[in-house]
Amino acid sequence: MNNIFIIIILMFYPLANLLAQDKYEVFRKEMSLIEKQENEYRKVIWGENDFSQGYKDSIYKKHQVLVKEKVEFAKNAIRENRDDERFLKVLDIYVRNFLSLDEFETELKSFSTKVQKTETCQRNFEFIKYSRINVPGKPCIDFEMKGHDGKTIKFSDVYKKHKLVLVDFWASWCGACRATIPSIKKMYEVYHEKGVEVVSVSLDDNKEAWEKAYKEENIPWIDGSNLLGWKDPVALWYAIRGIPHKVLVDQHGIIVASGFHQLGSLEYQINKYLNSHKD
């Protein structure tokens, strides 16, 4: 009798295991339907069309409700699958941007011990650690990289010689990064003689692509790369999730400000610092 019972369990175990593994795929399919509806709303709100502003406003309200529902759907899926590493990706894509650093850490620690030990989860814990020290008033982390001439560039050697240094993280494949270069050039022309230097750090992993972009953009400031892409420890040390990303550092190696999605705010910070640190 016991043997028959064991055989029955073994017969159904693969099916039960498959169902457990399919939870992620079920989530993906259901989320794709939500995102499909979200894209339809976006076409109305931001696409080229003849819809009235009143109609667009009404769709915008529906879109906002849907976004909240999407986040809640993702949160519920995460809560029900704390032992599945794949749901770290769900946390990263759908929920992370709505969480503070402390909340994000709490979410990670709510996963099973097995998942917390994975490389993906450990990377997130490292990101949190470095995010907490990459804030204005804290010392920056020194780093080295190779210039286009093959020589080593040590960041501390640069910032010690200038009042301010703008660190610009970019890559040849990043269209948004390259789109900001003309504006940085204008800023450079005005402020370089006032003691401001620019150091761009490429997150490329292809030397030919990096060299080609550097020449095409005709970059006049210091540019270097370790050609490690996102595996470059500098990206981790500066807690970078996306590029372009910019950091202002003073001559003592102290972080003045970071981020700068609007270059106007960058010039504001440069002026503010220079005016308060006149010789």
Side-chain angles (χ1 to χ4, degrees):
M1 184 68 178
N2 288 338
N3 288 339
I4 294 174
F5 183 69
I6 291 171
I7 290 171
I8 292 173
I9 290 175
L10 291 175
M11 286 174 62
F12 282 96
Y13 175 76
L15 177 60
N17 190 43
L18 179 63
L19 289 172
Q21 291 180 353
D22 277 348
K23 285 183 179 180
Y24 180 69
E25 293 305 319
V26 170
F27 168 82
R28 285 184 60 193
K29 288 177 182 177
E30 292 181 2
M31 180 58 83
S32 69
L33 295 176
I34 296 174
E35 291 181 319
K36 184 178 180 181
Q37 181 61 64
E38 186 179 15
N39 286 333
E40 292 301 315
Y41 286 158
R42 285 176 174 171
K43 288 177 184 177
V44 174
I45 301 166
W46 294 291
E48 293 184 10
N49 52 60
D50 296 324
F51 295 119
S52 68
Q53 189 58 50
Y55 180 67
K56 287 185 177 183
D57 290 344
S58 67
I59 295 300
Y60 178 76
K61 290 178 182 179
K62 290 183 178 180
H63 174 263
Q64 293 300 97
V65 171
L66 187 65
V67 168
K68 291 179 181 179
E69 290 176 350
K70 183 173 75 169
V71 174
E72 284 306 311
F73 175 59
K75 284 182 177 179
N76 288 332
I78 293 166
R79 279 193 286 266
E80 294 171 4
N81 296 278
R82 295 289 190 184
D83 199 40
D84 189 333
E85 180 184 353
R86 296 173 298 178
F87 282 86
L88 285 172
K89 188 175 182 180
V90 176
L91 174 63
D92 189 46
I93 294 173
Y94 298 106
V95 181
R96 184 172 177 172
N97 288 338
F98 299 91
L99 302 176
S100 67
L101 210 57
D102 289 344
E103 289 170 338
F104 181 44
E105 184 176 36
T106 298
E107 282 293 326
L108 291 174
K109 288 182 177 179
S110 296
F111 278 87
S112 67
T113 303
K114 179 187 74 173
V115 172
Q116 288 187 51
K117 290 180 179 179
T118 62
E119 182 182 349
T120 301
C121 201
Q122 287 300 310
R123 267 202 318 269
N124 282 320
F125 282 130
E126 286 284 281
F127 170 82
I128 290 170
K129 180 180 79 173
Y130 286 110
S131 291
R132 286 180 171 141
I133 62 177
N134 274 278
V135 294
K138 294 281 188 179
C140 71
I141 297 175
D142 198 8
F143 61 88
E144 293 183 352
M145 58 183 177
K146 295 292 185 181
H148 291 271
D149 57 3
K151 295 181 180 179
T152 298
I153 300 167
K154 188 175 176 65
F155 182 48
S156 57
D157 289 342
V158 180
Y159 68 66
K160 288 176 182 177
K161 297 175 183 177
H162 300 86
K163 290 183 178 179
L164 273 180
V165 176
L166 172 68
V167 187
D168 179 36
F169 291 91
W170 77 296
S172 64
W173 44 261
C174 174
C177 303
R178 298 181 67 167
T180 66
I181 290 176
S183 296
I184 298 174
K185 282 183 178 179
K186 291 180 181 178
M187 179 278 293
Y188 190 70
E189 290 173 2
V190 175
Y191 293 98
H192 184 54
E193 63 181 21
K194 298 179 181 180
V196 178
E197 184 56 271
V198 177
V199 173
S200 51
V201 181
S202 168
L203 296 184
D204 275 285
D205 57 11
N206 182 301
K207 185 175 182 180
E208 290 183 3
W210 172 49
E211 295 281 5
K212 183 173 181 288
Y214 172 74
K215 291 175 182 177
E216 288 175 349
E217 299 296 345
N218 193 26
I219 294 174
W221 50 76
I222 301 168
D223 179 57
S225 180
N226 291 315
L227 296 173
L228 295 173
W230 282 104
K231 293 182 180 179
D232 193 327
V234 181
L236 172 63
W237 295 340
Y238 279 78
I240 298 170
R241 286 195 62 202
I243 52 177
H245 183 83
K246 298 170 176 58
V247 182
L248 267 182
V249 176
D250 72 11
Q251 60 187 348
H252 305 293
I254 303 300
I255 297 172
V256 175
S258 65
F260 304 115
H261 300 295
Q262 300 292 330
L263 287 173
S265 62
L266 168 62
E267 290 202 28
Y268 170 79
Q269 287 291 345
I270 291 174
N271 273 317
K272 180 181 177 182
Y273 182 87
L274 294 179
N275 288 333
S276 62
H277 293 75
K278 290 180 179 179
D279 295 332

